[in-house]
Amino acid sequence: EELRNAYLRVKTLELLLYLAKLKPSGRNQMTQYQAEQVRVIREIHDLLASNMERRFTIEELSHKYLMNPTTLKAVFKSVYGESIAAHTKEHRMKKAAALLRETDLSVAEIAGQVGYESQSKFTAAFKEQFGQLPKEYRRN
């Protein structure tokens, strides 16, 4: 019964999205989403922000929150103004910068804490974001 209700909820939301797209608006993308969808997206954001060391897939999130992957990505972008990946990366880099300033953790430890398995990938992402290597950032 619980699974059936969840399934019906998802199908109802999908139907509402479809019907909303049929409204003449002159734009292909919807600009307003159901309050429930926005609430779920904010929950997803909080989950991602509080578990930066873990990488979540869109499929994993869509199953956990009973939302179509395409809808999840579209509503997230509408609410936060950027894709899930870009938004998560920005949060990871901000946390990494704070850890570099406030702790003596090694760059490898910080990379792990913000969800990078490879120190080299972390270093490249950090340099792209801040224009300097993590060790240079820490020194300055």
Side-chain angles (χ1 to χ4, degrees):
E1 183 68 48
E2 183 178 316
L3 185 59
R4 182 177 178 274
N5 287 339
Y7 175 78
L8 291 174
R9 183 173 155 234
V10 168
K11 287 301 175 184
T12 302
L13 290 172
E14 286 180 349
L15 178 60
L16 288 171
L17 277 172
Y18 175 75
L19 292 173
K21 284 186 177 182
L22 293 178
K23 291 180 184 176
S25 66
R27 292 178 62 183
N28 291 338
Q29 294 183 335
M30 291 180 47
T31 56
Q32 295 182 347
Y33 293 95
Q34 300 295 328
E36 176 66 11
Q37 288 176 317
V38 172
R39 184 193 62 74
V40 169
I41 291 302
R42 292 192 190 284
E43 278 184 39
I44 290 171
H45 177 272
D46 293 345
L47 173 74
L48 296 173
S50 63
N51 294 284
M52 283 189 220
E53 71 285 349
R54 182 157 183 262
R55 297 254 177 193
F56 292 93
T57 65
I58 299 295
E59 290 74 26
E60 188 178 359
L61 294 170
S62 70
H63 286 291
K64 180 176 174 71
Y65 290 94
L66 303 174
M67 187 180 286
N68 176 296
T70 303
T71 303
L72 189 152
K73 291 187 285 188
V75 177
F76 192 98
K77 188 166 187 171
S78 174
V79 171
Y80 290 102
E82 56 191 351
S83 70
I84 294 172
H87 192 74
T88 302
K89 182 179 179 183
E90 183 179 330
H91 274 286
R92 284 186 167 128
M93 292 297 108
K94 285 180 181 177
K95 182 177 180 181
L99 290 171
L100 285 165
R101 286 189 313 268
E102 300 164 7
T103 71
D104 290 330
L105 294 172
S106 71
V107 173
E109 289 172 315
I110 292 172
Q113 284 193 19
V114 296
Y116 284 85
E117 293 178 15
S118 159
Q119 181 179 337
S120 62
K121 287 184 180 180
F122 165 73
T123 299
F126 192 90
K127 184 168 184 179
E128 180 183 323
Q129 179 80 22
F130 292 101
Q132 54 188 331
L133 297 171
K135 288 182 180 182
E136 294 170 345
Y137 182 89
R138 178 175 267 163
R139 277 192 304 254
N140 297 332

